[in-house]
Amino acid sequence: MPPPIVGDYEITAAEPGKHLGFQVVAGPARPAGAYRLSEAPGGTTVRFTLDLQPKGLMKLVGPVIVRTMQAEVAQLTKLKNVLESA
């Protein structure tokens, strides 16, 4: 797993229990993303989106960014397990 990328973010949209949008405002990568929750038979569906438009030198480290973003998305499986064990 690649090392974490440290950054600061701001919440850009919030609807409790349904939607959380964010934008990274400090750090080497500046993606925007959102979590959307919706009711599903037997539980909740979580949809996660992440958008990154690398600029300047960040274009050179594209593969590293892709691996890091994939690792972040993989955390959703861990979140499901943690929530279901509570």
Side-chain angles (χ1 to χ4, degrees):
M1 185 163 136
I5 296 175
V6 177
D8 296 332
Y9 65 93
E10 67 180 354
I11 302 299
T12 58
E15 188 177 348
K18 294 184 180 192
H19 177 233
L20 177 69
F22 64 91
Q23 170 72 47
V24 176
V25 295
R30 307 279 174 103
Y35 293 91
R36 293 193 182 272
L37 286 73
S38 58
E39 291 184 30
T44 301
T45 296
V46 177
R47 181 175 180 195
F48 175 65
T49 57
L50 191 62
D51 182 41
L52 175 65
Q53 303 296 323
K55 297 176 183 166
L57 293 176
M58 289 305 293
K59 289 182 179 181
L60 299 175
V61 293
V64 173
I65 295 170
V66 169
R67 283 194 305 273
T68 302
M69 295 300 122
Q70 289 172 336
E72 293 297 322
V73 171
Q75 295 298 313
L76 288 175
T77 300
K78 291 182 181 179
L79 174 62
K80 180 181 186 292
N81 292 335
V82 168
L83 292 173
E84 289 178 347
S85 68

